[in-house]
Amino acid sequence: MNRPSLRESNSGHIFSTEKLIFGIGEISRMTGVSTRQLRYWETKGYINSKDRQDEQQQRVYGYATFLKVSGIKTMLDEGYTLAAASAQTDALIQEGLTLRNFVLDAYHGLEEINGRMMLDLGDFDDAGQLRLYAYVEDHHVHYQQVLVSKDRRQ
DNA sequence: GTTCTTACA
DNA sequence: TGTAAGGA
C-alpha cells in the first residue's frame, strides 16, 4: 500500500559499512589512540574487536568500533574519564542511530511536482490516497498533502 | 614491519 | 600508559 521507505528497501541502511575493517595499527593512526590503549580498553569492555580465530590472532575492528574509539578519544581530550567518555559516546551513537532511522523511515525520495522539488514523506493517510510532501522556501519547511490516484502508484 | 602477551619503570 | 622482551 505504501511505497517502501529507504530503510525498508535497503535492509536498514543505505551505505554498507560491513566491509570497512581495520587492524589495530590503522585504528590507532586514524584516531590518535595508542595500540596499548586500544588493547586496554578492550579488556575493560569499552570496545570490541571482531572474533579473531584467524590464522594468527590479530585483532580486527569494524566501523562501529572506529566510531566508538573516535568518540572516546574526543571526550577524553575534553577531560572526561575513560568510563565517562565511553558512556557518553554510547549515548551519542544511540542518538545518532535513532535519528538515522527516523530520517530513513520518513524519506521516500525526491519528486518534482509543479516545477518544485518536493520531499516525499510517504502516505499521509491509511487509505493511501493522500501523500505528504515537504519543501523548503526561505529557509522554512512547508508541508503539503497531495491527492494521489491509485493508478499512478508503482 | 606489525601485532601479541606479559611484565616492569 | 609507555616501553621492553621474546615469539609469531
Side-chain angles (χ1 to χ4, degrees), chain A residues 31-66:
Chain A
T31 62
V33 175
S34 70
T35 58
R36 173 80 163 89
Q37 285 176 299
L38 292 173
R39 296 189 187 98
Y40 176 69
W41 294 359
E42 187 173 327
T43 67
K44 287 294 184 179
Y46 296 131
I47 60 175
N48 295 302
S49 59
K50 296 181 177 297
D51 296 330
R52 44 171 174 146
Q53 309 159 340
D54 304 61
E55 328 94 35
Q56 305 190 357
Q57 50 187 11
Q58 301 188 356
R59 273 166 261 253
V60 176
Y61 300 99
Y63 183 68
T65 301
F66 162 68

Side-chain angles (χ1 to χ4, degrees), chain A residues 35-119:
Chain A
T35 58
R36 173 80 163 89
Q37 285 176 299
L38 292 173
R39 296 189 187 98
Y40 176 69
W41 294 359
E42 187 173 327
T43 67
K44 287 294 184 179
Y46 296 131
I47 60 175
N48 295 302
S49 59
K50 296 181 177 297
D51 296 330
R52 44 171 174 146
Q53 309 159 340
D54 304 61
E55 328 94 35
Q56 305 190 357
Q57 50 187 11
Q58 301 188 356
R59 273 166 261 253
V60 176
Y61 300 99
Y63 183 68
T65 301
F66 162 68
L67 289 183
K68 181 70 186 289
V69 173
S70 297
I72 294 179
K73 169 62 173 174
T74 298
M75 313 216 76
L76 228 42
D77 291 342
E78 293 177 1
Y80 286 85
T81 63
L82 177 55
S86 176
Q88 280 283 84
T89 300
D90 282 340
L92 272 181
I93 288 177
Q94 198 52 246
E95 281 186 48
L97 291 175
T98 299
L99 178 58
R100 186 197 65 162
N101 286 337
F102 176 76
V103 172
L104 290 181
D105 274 337
Y107 182 73
H108 287 68
L110 288 173
E111 198 170 324
E112 184 173 330
I113 299 179
N114 298 328
R116 165 179 274 151
M117 287 309 295
M118 307 283 279
L119 190 59

